C-alpha cells in the first residue's frame, strides 16, 4: 500500500463510485471566506443564549432517544411558514441535503431517474449517484434562464420520476417564475412525477417574488424544501425541512433512519424559530450588500446576473480560474463553479463585501 488512492482502489467499492472525488468546497483559512453562501454574520447574542438554554435543558435526558417525530419542531416550522400549513405537512432532517437524499430514497433509486436543469446545485447529481438514481441533466437557455415551455417539454421528453427545480437557482442566483413550477407539475401528470422546489435561498428573494408554497394546495406531488443554513445563519446546526402534502411525509418515514434528528438539533432549531425575527434581522443587510456587488461589478465592466439569493454569479470577462487565484492571493475566497468565464461570490458583511470589491478592482487593474 503506497498511497491512500491505492488502498481505496483495493477496497470492494461500488463500480459506480470508483475514481470519483467527494463534494469539496475548499475549507481554507482565509481573511474573507465568501465561497459557500453561508450567512457570514455570527449568530446574535440573544439567540446564542436561547440555544444554550434549550440545549442545557435537554442535556440530562440525552440518555433517551429523541422524539422520533419531532412534533414540536414540525409545529413550529408550520407556524413559521404560514400558508395554512400544519405539522402534518412538515418534515425535517439534518440539512436540506438529507431531505433531498430521503426524497431520492423514497421516490428514486435503481431504474428511476431525476431531472434537473444545469447549471444548478452541484449536489443533485451526487445525491442521485449515492441513491442509485439516474441523473438527467436538462438544459437552460444560453443566459441560464428556464422558461415554462422549455422545462415542460424536457419533462415530457425524459419522463423522469423526480424533477429538482432550484429557485432561486444556485449558482446563477435567479428565482424561477411560478409558471415554470406549474408547467413542470402538469407535464409530470402522466408519469406521476414528484416535483421538488429547492428554496434554500427563498428569504433573500427580491420583493414580490412568490414562493412555491403558494402552489401546494391541490398538488400532492409537489414538495418545497427550505433550510436554516442560509438566511437563518445556522449552517452548523444542520437543519433542513420541507412542506408538502401529508402523504409525502408518510412516504419519507419509510426511509428515514430511526431518531435521525438528535435532541440537540431539535432544541437548537426550536430556539432558532422562537427568535426567527432576530435571526432574519441580517437578511435586509445582506440583500443590500448583494445589490451593491451587482452595481459595483457592473461599474467595473463585469456582467453580474440579477440575484434573488445571498450570492452573485458574474461573468468575469476572462480566465475565471486566474481571477479566483488573484482574489485568493489577496485573502478573498470566492467560488469557481466550473463554468468557463464565471465566478460566484457570497454577499458577506459590509466589510467583507468591501474587501471583495477592492480585491476585484485591484486584480482588474493588474491584469
Ligand atoms: C446551501 C444549499 C442547500 C442547503 O443545504 P443544507 O444541507 O441545508 O445545509 C440546499 N440547496 C441549495 C441549492 C443550496 O445552495
Amino acid at each position: 500500500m503506497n498511497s491512500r488512492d491505492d488502498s481505496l482502489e483495493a477496497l470492494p467499492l461500488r463500480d459506480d463510485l470508483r475514481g470519483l472525488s467527494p463534494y469539496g468546497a475548499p475549507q481554507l483559512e482565509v481573511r474573507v471566506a465568501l465561497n459557500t453562501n453561508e450567512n457570514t454574520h455570527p449568530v446574535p447574542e440573544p439567540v446564542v443564549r436561547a440555544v444554550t438554554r434549550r440545549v442545557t435543558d435537554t442535556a440530562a435526558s440525552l440518555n433517551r432517544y429523541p422524539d422520533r417525530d419531532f412534533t414540536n419542531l414540525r409545529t413550529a416550522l408550520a407556524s413559521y411558514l404560514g400558508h395554512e400549513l400544519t405539522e402534518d405537512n412538515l418534515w425535517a432532517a439534518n440539512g436540506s441535503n438529507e431531505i433531498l437524499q430521503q426524497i431520492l430514497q423514497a421516490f428514486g433509486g435503481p431504474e428511476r431517474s431525476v431531472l434537473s436543469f444545469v447549471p444548478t446545485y452541484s449536489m443533485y447529481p451526487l445525491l442521485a449517484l449515492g441513491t442509485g438514481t439516474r441523473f438527467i441533466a436538462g438544459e437552460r437557455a444560453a443566459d441560464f434562464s428556464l422558461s415554462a415551455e422549455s422545462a415542460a417539454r424536457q419533462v415530457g421528453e425524459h419522463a423522469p420520476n423526480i424533477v429538482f427545480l432550484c429557485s432561486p437557482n444556485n449558482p446563477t442566483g435567479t428565482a424561477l417564475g411560478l409558471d415554470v413550477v406549474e408547467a413542470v407539475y402538469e407535464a409530470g401528470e402522466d408519469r406521476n412525477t414528484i416535483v421538488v422546489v429547492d428554496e434554500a435561498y427563498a428569504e433573500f428573494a427580491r420583493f414580490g417574488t412568490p414562493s412555491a408554497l403558494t402552489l401546494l394546495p391541490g398538488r400532492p406531488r409537489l414538495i418545497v424544501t427550505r433550510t436554516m443554513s442560509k438566511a437563518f445563519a445556522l449552517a452548523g446546526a444542520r437543519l433542513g425541512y420541507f412542506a408538502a402534502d401529508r402523504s409525502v411525509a408518510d412516504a419519507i418515514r419509510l426511509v428515514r433512519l430511526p431518531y435521525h434528528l438528535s435532541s440537540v438539533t431539535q432544541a437548537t432549531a426550536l430556539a432558532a424559530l422562537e427568535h426567527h425575527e432576530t435571526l432574519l434581522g441580517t437578511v435586509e443587510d445582506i440583500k443590500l450588500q448583494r445589490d451593491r456587488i451587482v452595481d459595483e461589478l457592473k461599474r467595473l465592466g463585469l456582467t453580474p446576473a440579477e440575484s434573488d439569493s445571498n450570492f452573485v454569479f458574474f461573468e468575469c470577462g476572462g480566465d475565471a480560474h486566474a481571477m479566483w487565484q488573484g482574489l485568493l492571493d489577496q485573502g478573498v475566497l470566492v467560488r469557481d463553479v466550473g463554468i468557463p468565464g464565471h465566478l460566484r461570490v457570497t454577499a458577506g458583511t459590509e466589510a467583507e463585501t468591501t474587501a471583495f470589491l477592492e480585491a476585484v478592482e485591484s486584480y482588474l487593474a493588474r491584469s
Side-chain angles (χ1 to χ4, degrees), residues 48-67:
V48 171
R49 283 198 298 274
V51 169
T52 309
R53 216 176 309 119
R54 277 208 179 246
V55 171
T56 304
D57 288 347
T58 198
S61 46
L62 286 175
N63 59 313
R64 298 292 184 184
Y65 282 118
D67 172 8

Side-chain angles (χ1 to χ4, degrees), residues 95-97 121 124 166 170 198 200-201 227 229-230 238-240:
S96 50
N97 273 281
Y121 189 35
Y124 297 157
C166 191
N170 182 2
D198 179 348
Y201 300 97
T227 179
S229 295
K230 309 288 158 62
R238 311 304 301 128
L239 202 287

Side-chain angles (χ1 to χ4, degrees), residues 97-174:
N97 273 281
E98 187 178 58
I99 289 281
L100 298 171
Q101 184 180 54
Q102 290 177 337
I103 292 169
L104 287 164
Q105 286 175 315
F107 301 109
E111 314 293 316
R112 293 192 170 207
S113 62
V114 55
L115 168 70
S116 198
F117 301 92
V118 299
T120 190
Y121 189 35
S122 60
M123 278 305 299
Y124 297 157
L126 294 178
L127 291 164
L129 176 73
T131 57
T133 313
R134 185 164 58 92
F135 182 80
I136 303 167
E139 292 167 357
R140 290 170 183 267
D143 66 354
F144 305 114
S145 66
L146 180 64
S147 70
E149 182 274 326
S150 159
R153 181 178 46 73
Q154 296 182 65
V155 172
E157 228 167 81
H158 297 292
N161 301 93
I162 306 170
V163 179
F164 282 166
L165 294 171
C166 191
S167 177
N169 187 46
N170 182 2
T172 54
T174 328

